[in-house]
Amino acid sequence: EGAVVSSVSVDENQAKISVFRVPDRPGIAAKLFQALGSENINVDMIVQNVGRDNHADISFTVNLTDLEKALSLTREVAGCLGAERVSADDDIAKVSIIGIGMMNHPGVAGRMFQALARAGVNIEMISTSEIKISCVVRRADAQKSLEAAHREFIEKN
Amino acid sequence: EGAVVSSVSVDENQAKISVFRVPDRPGIAAKLFQALGSENINVDMIVQNVGRDNHADISFTVNLTDLEKALSLTREVAGCLGAERVSADDDIAKVSIIGIGMMNHPGVAGRMFQALARAGVNIEMISTSEIKISCVVRRADAQKSLEAAHREFIEKN
Ligand SMILES: C[C@@H](O)[C@H](N)C(=O)O
Ligand SMILES: C[C@@H](O)[C@H](N)C(=O)O
């Protein structure tokens, strides 16, 4: 079979913001992201996992240069939404593998996660599409993560 | 500006599995997804948000036809990992908008979430990449969600 993963990359210019325990009902995600959009803040990853007891956490990443503006806007909106708290983290890196139809290749995700694990890297967030698997890790692990993914997917093929 | 979103879709043939409160340390995601991969189970979305007190939740979707096998395997692995519990949900739909460089168009995500909100649809999970924003909703909301996204992005352009 041909190489499934065509490239690996790491982005060290992002920050993440998390909004904890927003009400899990229609209109909440809309309010937050409409506010960010109206200020022309580019959002890259958006991650929300299943909620519990009618509340959910929503995290997203922005360019480091937009962090201050995004954070103050998020705090404002989160206050209106009744969120428990907002956190910001400018010490992240986003490591990604890109390929075609990766989701039809069982095992690709496991290989990526194992490559990071072998390098001692903790995976803090995961978001996927058919063409991309992205993991948020510590900024200090950026190069180590890129090399691990490169060894696993580019050098072996 | 040209249309950013080129198509909208809904997938009613998926189920989700969530593994709650796994240890948030290297190797955990690897174990779970290597196991699924070794059984040739195709995984579509994988979502993990930031953890709390050293534990994280990991959710993923599979084809309905793979649910039984995926669930029993996940329960096995989750047991070894010390997860608090595993849940399965075969009543979901995944609604997506697809486009080019969506993440450079602030406001696209907000428009999608607002379209769903206006239709009274609750967003249960969110996962994104530059070319795709996907939301997990109730299966019963599948058509309503597709129509809302279509009205917002295809009919307006
Ligand atoms: C948490 C948030 O996604 C909410 N469920 C909404 O639909 O907006
Ligand atoms: C929770 C899981 O992603 C863990 N942090 C890992 O690196 O495998």
Side-chain angles (χ1 to χ4, degrees):
Chain A
E1 54 160 300
V4 173
V5 174
S6 55
S7 66
V8 302
S9 67
V10 73
D11 187 339
E12 299 187 49
N13 293 311
Q14 296 195 8
K16 76 163 147 74
I17 294 174
S18 294
V19 186
F20 293 98
R21 290 186 63 74
V22 289
D24 191 5
R25 59 165 190 261
I28 301 294
K31 249 195 196 67
L32 175 59
F33 290 97
Q34 282 184 316
L36 293 163
S38 69
E39 294 291 321
N40 277 312
I41 295 167
N42 280 316
V43 169
D44 184 34
M45 281 171 92
I46 301 172
V47 171
Q48 176 187 320
N49 204 343
V50 297
R52 52 174 79 196
D53 49 272
N54 299 315
H55 287 78
D57 303 333
I58 304 177
S59 297
F60 60 92
T61 65
V62 295
N63 280 322
L64 280 168
T65 50
D66 284 336
L67 178 58
E68 196 174 342
K69 182 165 139 193
L71 183 56
S72 80
L73 184 57
T74 300
R75 290 196 187 288
E76 227 174 283
V77 176
C80 303
L81 296 179
E84 185 179 272
R85 68 186 172 93
V86 172
S87 72
D89 183 352
D90 64 1
D91 190 36
I92 65 164
K94 185 181 86 164
V95 57
S96 304
I97 60 174
I98 293 156
I100 304 295
M102 285 197 302
M103 295 310 165
N104 292 324
H105 284 82
V108 171
R111 285 173 61 195
M112 181 189 192
F113 303 152
Q114 177 61 7
L116 294 177
R118 260 199 316 268
V121 175
N122 193 46
I123 299 166
E124 303 181 359
M125 283 168 71
I126 302 169
S127 189
T128 62
S129 72
E130 292 92 322
I131 67 157
K132 194 171 194 174
I133 299 177
S134 290
C135 295
V136 168
V137 301
R138 279 302 90 195
R139 175 83 46 73
D141 287 338
Q143 286 311 308
K144 191 161 51 156
S145 297
L146 181 66
E147 286 158 16
H150 196 270
R151 262 193 313 272
E152 177 62 34
F153 292 109
I154 309 298
E155 291 166 32
K156 283 187 182 175
N157 291 312
Chain B
E1 51 156 305
V4 174
V5 175
S6 56
S7 65
V8 302
S9 67
V10 74
D11 188 337
E12 299 187 49
N13 294 311
Q14 296 196 7
K16 76 164 146 72
I17 294 175
S18 295
V19 187
F20 293 98
R21 289 189 62 74
V22 288
D24 191 4
R25 60 166 190 259
I28 301 295
K31 250 194 196 66
L32 175 60
F33 290 97
Q34 282 185 314
L36 292 164
S38 69
E39 293 293 320
N40 277 313
I41 295 167
N42 280 315
V43 169
D44 185 35
M45 281 171 93
I46 301 172
V47 171
Q48 176 186 322
N49 203 343
V50 297
R52 51 173 80 194
D53 48 273
N54 298 315
H55 287 76
D57 302 333
I58 304 177
S59 297
F60 60 93
T61 65
V62 295
N63 279 322
L64 279 167
T65 50
D66 284 336
L67 178 58
E68 195 173 344
K69 182 164 137 193
L71 183 58
S72 80
L73 184 57
T74 299
R75 289 196 188 287
E76 228 175 284
V77 177
C80 302
L81 297 179
E84 185 180 272
R85 68 186 171 94
V86 173
S87 72
D89 182 351
D90 63 0
D91 189 36
I92 65 165
K94 184 181 88 163
V95 57
S96 304
I97 60 174
I98 293 156
I100 305 295
M102 285 197 302
M103 295 310 163
N104 292 324
H105 285 81
V108 171
R111 283 172 63 194
M112 181 188 191
F113 303 152
Q114 177 60 7
L116 294 176
R118 260 200 314 268
V121 176
N122 193 47
I123 298 166
E124 303 181 359
M125 284 169 70
I126 302 169
S127 188
T128 62
S129 72
E130 293 92 323
I131 67 157
K132 194 171 194 176
I133 300 176
S134 289
C135 294
V136 168
V137 302
R138 279 303 90 194
R139 176 81 47 72
D141 287 338
Q143 287 311 311
K144 192 163 49 160
S145 298
L146 180 66
E147 286 160 15
H150 195 270
R151 262 194 312 272
E152 177 62 33
F153 291 109
I154 308 299
E155 291 166 31
K156 283 188 183 174
N157 290 311

